[in-house]
Amino acid sequence: MSDLDTAKALFFEGIELLGRDALPEAEARFLAALRLAPDRPSILTNLAAAQARQGKFRAAQEHARRAVALDEMASEGWLNLAQIEAECGESGPALVACRRALSLDGNQSEAWALLAALHDRNGDLREAAEAYRGALRASPRRFEWLANLGAILNELREFEAALDCHRQALELQPQASGPWSNQGNTLHELRRFDEALAAHDRALALDEGYARGWSNRASTLHALGRLGEALESHDRALNLEPDFAEGWSNRGNTLRSLRRNAEAIAAYDRALALRPDYALGWSNRAAVLRDIRRHEEALGHCERALQLDPALADA
């Protein structure tokens, strides 16, 4: 048997082992195949995949880069490289590789989803939303992509479109707490507070350890004027996640509405100790200082908030 025939046999053994998650064994077969056929992109791509799934990202990165250098027209190789670059924290190269994969095959749903996740990580929410739409055009019934797109549309304040994503996600997985909570947030923003509370309650019935869900519920109870119940939900959230800066600030808002100003200031202080760059926390603290006529301090807090976020209308 020639070296090339032996390499092919080792390669197909590696593919079979990779499919069974026998990762060290698959890696060994691919390495042996590579020694016999060092310029085969398919061997390099699958070796990189086996290494990445074991957390050997730098070695995987080297092999994935070699694979696309040898075959620049293989969309699977570019997607594999993009995934590995992302795992290595190389956001820029990952974006380049993702776009190259999609330029070669625009129906690669996993490439669209990775592109969306990279844009989301970078704070480019509109680009992330468009990329998730691309992923869903290729694979329309993927729960996690619908849920992620719904959450991003909430942040973009495209609430009706967000509600449609939450609905589709929950049709696929009605027992998932995240989309119920996000649906509650969307309904809250639409001032449909009773429906929002029902969605938050459904989320927490499914996962009572979901700290952000308790905080979201508290905000809706606050909007309904049920301040005592809101405070209880804030406390549940913060018992579960004591380092949740936004939760402390929201608790301060409820305490302020209850005119428990000293406690409100203490809650804002906790929020800002955890996250000194939290512009809304500075603005909220300014509001309670204004209430108690500490105007110079309040003005300084407003200025601090606007340094951090010049578009913050409340400040």
Side-chain angles (χ1 to χ4, degrees), residues 237-285:
L238 293 166
N239 284 335
L240 289 163
E241 190 177 339
D243 294 338
F244 180 28
E246 292 89 340
W248 282 106
S249 187
N250 290 338
R251 185 177 190 271
N253 294 342
T254 298
L255 289 163
R256 178 184 170 224
S257 293
L258 289 165
R259 300 186 185 280
R260 292 162 58 176
N261 293 327
E263 292 173 80
I265 290 170
Y268 296 136
D269 286 345
R270 183 72 177 270
L272 293 166
L274 290 165
R275 197 177 139 195
D277 64 347
Y278 184 31
L280 186 57
W282 288 104
S283 179
N284 288 339
R285 195 175 193 278

Side-chain angles (χ1 to χ4, degrees), residues 9 22 65 71 118 131 194 209 234-235 250 280 298 303-304 312:
R65 286 177 175 177
D71 184 358
L118 290 166
D194 289 322
H234 285 309
D235 289 342
N250 290 338
L280 186 57
E303 290 168 350
R304 178 71 178 273
L312 183 59

Side-chain angles (χ1 to χ4, degrees), residues 115-125 127-128 132 148 152 155:
L115 184 64
L118 290 166
H119 280 311
D120 191 12
R121 183 188 300 175
N122 292 339
D124 302 324
L125 297 184
E127 291 85 350
Y132 273 126
N148 291 344
I152 288 169
E155 292 190 60

Side-chain angles (χ1 to χ4, degrees), residues 112-178:
W112 281 113
L114 178 57
L115 184 64
L118 290 166
H119 280 311
D120 191 12
R121 183 188 300 175
N122 292 339
D124 302 324
L125 297 184
R126 292 207 176 277
E127 291 85 350
E130 285 308 307
Y132 273 126
R133 289 185 175 112
L136 288 162
R137 281 193 295 273
S139 297
R141 293 181 62 79
R142 286 288 292 268
F143 164 80
E144 64 272 25
W145 300 344
L146 285 162
N148 291 344
L149 177 57
I152 288 169
L153 291 170
N154 268 5
E155 292 190 60
L156 291 170
R157 305 189 68 78
E158 296 179 19
F159 297 125
E160 295 298 339
L163 277 180
D164 187 53
C165 285
H166 305 324
R167 176 187 57 76
Q168 291 184 64
L170 289 166
E171 284 175 359
L172 294 170
Q173 290 192 28
Q175 302 304 308
S177 60

Side-chain angles (χ1 to χ4, degrees), residues 20 28 49 62 109 120 148 201 207 218 232:
R20 291 197 282 111
E62 177 189 342
S109 59
D120 191 12
N148 291 344
D201 285 344
D207 181 5
E232 290 174 6

Side-chain angles (χ1 to χ4, degrees), residues 2-312:
S2 70
D3 283 354
L4 185 57
D5 288 336
T6 303
K8 285 181 180 178
L10 288 164
F11 172 76
F12 286 116
E13 285 179 28
I15 292 291
E16 193 268 333
L17 289 162
L18 192 61
R20 291 197 282 111
D21 269 345
L23 301 177
E25 295 84 353
E27 179 185 8
R29 298 300 194 283
F30 293 135
L31 284 168
L34 192 64
R35 284 192 288 272
L36 296 169
D39 293 329
R40 293 286 168 142
S42 57
I43 298 174
L44 287 159
T45 294
N46 284 283
L47 171 59
Q51 290 173 326
R53 283 164 62 179
Q54 295 175 83
K56 300 178 179 180
F57 294 117
R58 292 301 174 189
Q61 186 181 47
E62 177 189 342
H63 290 124
R65 286 177 175 177
R66 280 179 59 196
V68 298
L70 289 164
D71 184 358
E72 295 184 356
M73 302 305 292
S75 61
E76 297 85 355
W78 284 106
L79 173 57
N80 188 52
L81 176 59
Q83 291 166 334
I84 292 164
E85 298 281 18
E87 289 287 356
C88 291
E90 303 283 352
S91 182
L95 282 167
V96 170
C98 239
R99 292 187 182 113
R100 187 64 184 271
L102 288 165
S103 73
L104 293 164
D105 180 1
N107 291 316
Q108 281 198 91
S109 59
E110 296 291 341
W112 281 113
L114 178 57
L115 184 64
L118 290 166
H119 280 311
D120 191 12
R121 183 188 300 175
N122 292 339
D124 302 324
L125 297 184
R126 292 207 176 277
E127 291 85 350
E130 285 308 307
Y132 273 126
R133 289 185 175 112
L136 288 162
R137 281 193 295 273
S139 297
R141 293 181 62 79
R142 286 288 292 268
F143 164 80
E144 64 272 25
W145 300 344
L146 285 162
N148 291 344
L149 177 57
I152 288 169
L153 291 170
N154 268 5
E155 292 190 60
L156 291 170
R157 305 189 68 78
E158 296 179 19
F159 297 125
E160 295 298 339
L163 277 180
D164 187 53
C165 285
H166 305 324
R167 176 187 57 76
Q168 291 184 64
L170 289 166
E171 284 175 359
L172 294 170
Q173 290 192 28
Q175 302 304 308
S177 60
W180 282 111
S181 190
N182 284 333
Q183 184 180 80
N185 292 340
T186 306
L187 291 164
H188 180 108
E189 293 291 345
L190 292 167
R191 304 188 66 79
R192 292 160 58 177
F193 297 125
D194 289 322
E195 293 172 80
L197 183 60
H200 290 316
D201 285 344
R202 182 69 180 270
L204 292 165
L206 292 164
D207 181 5
E208 65 178 12
Y210 182 31
R212 305 296 172 103
W214 285 105
S215 186
N216 294 337
R217 181 178 190 268
S219 295
T220 296
L221 286 165
H222 186 135
L224 287 165
R226 293 161 59 177
L227 300 180
E229 293 173 80
L231 195 58
E232 290 174 6
S233 284
H234 285 309
D235 289 342
R236 287 288 295 269
L238 293 166
N239 284 335
L240 289 163
E241 190 177 339
D243 294 338
F244 180 28
E246 292 89 340
W248 282 106
S249 187
N250 290 338
R251 185 177 190 271
N253 294 342
T254 298
L255 289 163
R256 178 184 170 224
S257 293
L258 289 165
R259 300 186 185 280
R260 292 162 58 176
N261 293 327
E263 292 173 80
I265 290 170
Y268 296 136
D269 286 345
R270 183 72 177 270
L272 293 166
L274 290 165
R275 197 177 139 195
D277 64 347
Y278 184 31
L280 186 57
W282 288 104
S283 179
N284 288 339
R285 195 175 193 278
V288 74
L289 290 171
R290 183 191 59 200
D291 290 347
I292 60 176
R293 306 184 65 79
R294 288 163 57 178
H295 294 132
E296 288 299 324
E297 284 180 81
L299 185 60
H301 284 13
C302 289
E303 290 168 350
R304 178 71 178 273
L306 290 166
Q307 287 171 355
L308 292 164
D309 184 357
L312 183 59

